[in-house]
Amino acid sequence: MIFSKLARLPALKAVTVAFVLVNSAMLSSSVCANENSTISANVSASKAPDNYRPLSLSQAISIAIEVDPWLTRSELRQKAMIDTSEAVDFLPNPVISIGLANLPTDGFAFDQEPMTQLKVGVMQQFPRGQSLDIQRQQLQELAQQHPLLRQDRKAKTKVVVSSLWLEFYRAQQIVALIENDRVLFQQLAEIIQATYSSAVGRVRQQDIVRAQLELTRLEDRLNTLMSQKEQAGGQLIEWLSNGNDWQLSSSDFTRYKRVPSELPLITSLEPSVVSLLTGNDKQKLAQKLNAHPAILAIEQRIDAGETGVELAKQSYKSQWGVNASYAYRADDQLGRSRADFFSIGVSFDLPLFTQSSQDKKVSAAVREAEAIKTDKLLALRGLIAQLQSTWSRHQRLLKRQQIFNDSILVQTREQAAASLTAYTNDAGDFSEVVRARIDDLNVHIEVLNIQVDLLKAQVELNYFFSTEQSAVVDHLGLNNQRNEVSIPATAVKVRK
């Protein structure tokens, strides 16, 4: 019955065009419906098992930081250094000596000679100068770098996890785009096949082949994207799993876990920082980056190195010791009492023949401290270079986004409409209609790529300036609805 009705039309091309327009209108209207479905999906997700709930970006970051074994290792090393610093702040144990002195060899009698003694002594050594206090201070300074290193680790974790999460989001959303267009191409191919079979209009066999070819290409792109999605999910799961409790495997995540269909809102840089980046003031940028945890951790090492120089200088000072002894003497053979002896004394070394060795120790400590200062310079220079590169990439992406929003999106939409009109009036080719649809799909995919790359660049920028507070806020109401009527409702957002 359907074909009989179609045969009454002057050309079945009109039906094809009408189908495309109606389908596009229905798909575009589902954009608004998708917002409501997102809310209802979130409500139902709250009742669903955990394996089926979407994983938000803030949740992924929180889990990754919570289960990061690197942070636990850093805390243990800090506590170990603190314990060691307390342990070194004690004098060495005293040395007890017990001996029998001046025992005669002709009879080995304890009371035969007056010089025979049972001697008990104690000796206490003291470190050189203030080496104990200085060594304790050095260990405490090294321990103080670990909180800064953990802060830097958390900031880096945010960058890595955000990048992997956004890659997973990118693949998920592109898959949704292609899936929606594949349905449209399948229905379009069926109409073209029906038109060709009924010999109504001027549909050619190559139109059918072209439609089938594009379907096959879309299927290949889907397979590639699914592979990318699984790869991103596998890398993300490395950060979300505790090494002792692998409750969530990579296959489980890629099968059941999804990320929300809305882009997260990433906190922007402060206006003062943007002004510095725009003006390319490296001196002020360096001053700003001096407060970065990675740089502050190196400064702690510098302080410890300078303390090491003071520790090496203590080798010029003498090492002192105190000794005391009590000598017991037995009564003589006639029963007369003999006085016991008590001795006390001090000892110290004279660093006369080790001057060259001590100079070398101090020189080595000074050079090591200077080397750590060079590490700070290199780290600061690297941060500035990475910051400027990321900022330049961010600005280029903003310009590309503006070009797509102002021109390319509108032009591809007009091109698609013009190709449909030309095909309806027998002035165009079906391949042009298909090409216009593919171009429209590619443009929206590129818009999505730009948005994701912009967020990744923003996360990287926040690493340089925002490390204490989270720079990620889940957001479900971005005012950047997609400007299109032919692609079905997805989570793609285009900033206006």
Side-chain angles (χ1 to χ4, degrees):
M1 178 180 289
I2 296 177
F3 293 139
S4 62
K5 292 181 179 180
L6 292 175
R8 299 174 185 176
L9 297 175
L12 200 56
K13 287 183 180 180
V15 178
T16 304
V17 174
F19 166 77
V20 174
L21 293 176
V22 171
N23 189 52
S24 298
M26 292 175 62
L27 293 175
S28 62
S29 64
S30 63
V31 174
C32 298
N34 185 62
E35 299 293 335
N36 296 329
S37 64
T38 301
I39 298 176
S40 61
N42 291 335
V43 175
S44 60
S46 62
K47 302 178 181 179
D50 290 340
N51 283 344
Y52 292 89
R53 292 180 182 176
L55 180 68
S56 66
L57 179 54
S58 59
Q59 181 185 4
I61 292 175
S62 299
I63 294 174
I65 293 177
E66 182 180 357
V67 302
D68 190 2
W70 193 98
L71 300 176
T72 303
R73 183 187 67 179
S74 176
E75 291 178 357
L76 292 175
R77 286 183 173 175
Q78 181 184 3
K79 293 178 180 178
M81 285 186 177
I82 293 176
D83 291 343
T84 305
S85 68
E86 294 175 355
V88 300
D89 196 21
F90 292 94
L91 293 175
N93 293 329
V95 178
I96 303 296
S97 62
I98 301 176
L100 190 61
N102 304 319
L103 186 67
T105 60
D106 57 351
F108 295 98
F110 185 73
D111 57 353
Q112 177 180 341
E113 299 294 337
M115 292 304 296
T116 302
Q117 307 168 19
L118 177 62
K119 190 174 184 180
V120 178
V122 60
M123 182 178 63
Q124 177 66 60
Q125 289 284 346
F126 296 94
R128 301 180 187 276
Q130 299 179 348
S131 58
L132 289 184
D133 292 336
I134 296 175
Q135 191 174 1
R136 176 177 56 83
Q137 178 184 351
Q138 183 183 35
L139 288 171
Q140 289 179 347
E141 288 171 346
L142 289 175
Q144 289 173 3
Q145 71 175 329
H146 282 280
L148 297 169
L149 292 175
R150 290 196 296 272
Q151 187 177 346
D152 181 61
R153 171 72 176 188
K154 292 177 182 179
K156 288 180 177 178
T157 300
K158 291 179 183 179
V159 175
V160 175
V161 173
S162 297
S163 178
L164 294 174
W165 189 96
L166 288 170
E167 287 297 330
F168 191 91
Y169 172 88
R170 187 207 305 266
Q172 172 181 288
Q173 297 309 108
I174 295 179
V175 166
L177 281 172
I178 296 179
E179 284 282 3
N180 290 328
D181 255 36
R182 184 177 65 170
V183 173
L184 179 60
F185 272 101
Q186 286 175 343
Q187 295 173 345
L188 188 61
E190 291 174 0
I191 290 181
I192 294 298
Q193 180 67 40
T195 306
Y196 181 77
S197 301
S198 61
V200 178
R202 296 192 305 172
V203 177
R204 297 166 297 181
Q205 186 177 7
Q206 67 183 32
D207 295 340
I208 300 175
V209 175
R210 179 61 187 272
Q212 294 296 332
L213 175 61
E214 294 303 331
L215 279 173
T216 304
R217 287 179 175 174
L218 288 178
E219 191 70 30
D220 178 66
R221 292 180 70 176
L222 280 175
N223 289 330
T224 302
L225 287 168
M226 291 303 297
S227 176
Q228 295 175 0
K229 180 180 177 182
E230 292 171 359
Q231 181 180 3
Q235 293 175 345
L236 183 59
I237 207 66
E238 177 185 354
W239 292 85
L240 304 181
S241 298
N242 190 332
N244 298 325
D245 186 11
W246 299 93
Q247 294 182 353
L248 184 62
S249 66
S250 176
S251 59
D252 289 337
F253 180 80
T254 54
R255 286 179 58 191
Y256 302 119
K257 282 284 186 179
R258 291 181 59 84
V259 298
S261 58
E262 295 290 336
L263 284 169
L265 182 64
I266 307 297
T267 304
S268 301
L269 297 177
E270 297 179 357
S272 59
V273 175
V274 174
S275 177
L276 290 179
L277 291 170
T278 305
N280 196 22
D281 192 338
K282 292 185 179 181
Q283 178 121 14
K284 293 184 177 180
L285 282 177
Q287 295 176 357
K288 192 83 173 175
L289 291 176
N290 272 328
H292 194 277
I295 303 300
L296 294 178
I298 298 178
E299 289 185 352
Q300 284 297 129
R301 289 172 51 203
I302 293 176
D303 293 341
E306 293 176 348
T307 305
V309 174
E310 293 299 321
L311 181 62
K313 290 181 179 179
Q314 300 304 306
S315 61
Y316 288 113
K317 299 181 180 179
S318 298
Q319 185 174 16
W320 290 78
V322 176
N323 60 83
S325 63
Y326 177 82
Y328 169 76
R329 293 196 304 168
D331 295 343
D332 61 13
Q333 294 178 351
L334 298 178
R336 291 176 296 187
S337 176
R338 292 171 178 170
D340 298 334
F341 295 147
F342 175 77
S343 303
I344 187 171
V346 296
S347 63
F348 58 92
D349 63 349
L350 294 176
L352 299 178
F353 307 107
T354 57
Q355 188 75 18
S356 177
S357 173
Q358 294 158 349
D359 291 342
K360 293 299 182 182
K361 289 180 180 179
V362 174
S363 176
V366 171
R367 285 180 168 82
E368 183 64 26
E370 292 299 321
I372 300 176
K373 293 180 181 179
T374 305
D375 291 341
K376 176 186 175 181
L377 177 61
L378 292 174
L380 188 59
R381 189 172 67 177
L383 283 178
I384 294 177
Q386 295 173 16
L387 173 59
Q388 290 179 325
S389 176
T390 305
W391 173 253
S392 177
R393 174 160 51 89
H394 181 270
Q395 294 303 107
R396 292 296 179 184
L397 287 170
L398 284 177
K399 291 181 180 179
R400 289 192 63 200
Q401 186 182 58
Q402 183 177 2
I403 292 174
F404 270 84
N405 291 339
D406 295 344
S407 302
I408 298 180
L409 280 172
V410 178
Q411 292 171 359
T412 53
R413 184 167 57 246
E414 292 176 350
Q415 179 185 12
S419 62
L420 282 174
T421 302
Y423 182 65
T424 304
N425 298 327
D426 289 335
D429 191 38
F430 178 73
S431 61
E432 294 296 330
V433 178
V434 174
R435 187 180 298 112
R437 290 291 307 174
I438 295 298
D439 289 343
D440 189 57
L441 172 63
N442 291 335
V443 165
H444 285 95
I445 290 176
E446 189 62 26
V447 169
L448 174 63
N449 288 332
I450 292 175
Q451 288 179 326
V452 172
D453 291 339
L454 264 175
L455 292 182
K456 291 175 65 176
Q458 187 64 58
V459 170
E460 293 176 17
L461 288 174
N462 289 338
Y463 163 75
F464 298 100
F465 301 102
S466 178
T467 55
E468 295 184 355
Q469 298 179 352
S470 175
V472 179
V473 179
D474 290 326
H475 189 66
L476 297 179
L478 295 179
N479 295 322
N480 48 7
Q481 297 290 340
R482 177 178 166 183
N483 295 324
E484 55 91 16
V485 295
S486 56
I487 299 297
T490 66
V492 180
K493 301 295 180 182
V494 178
R495 300 182 186 274
K496 293 183 179 180

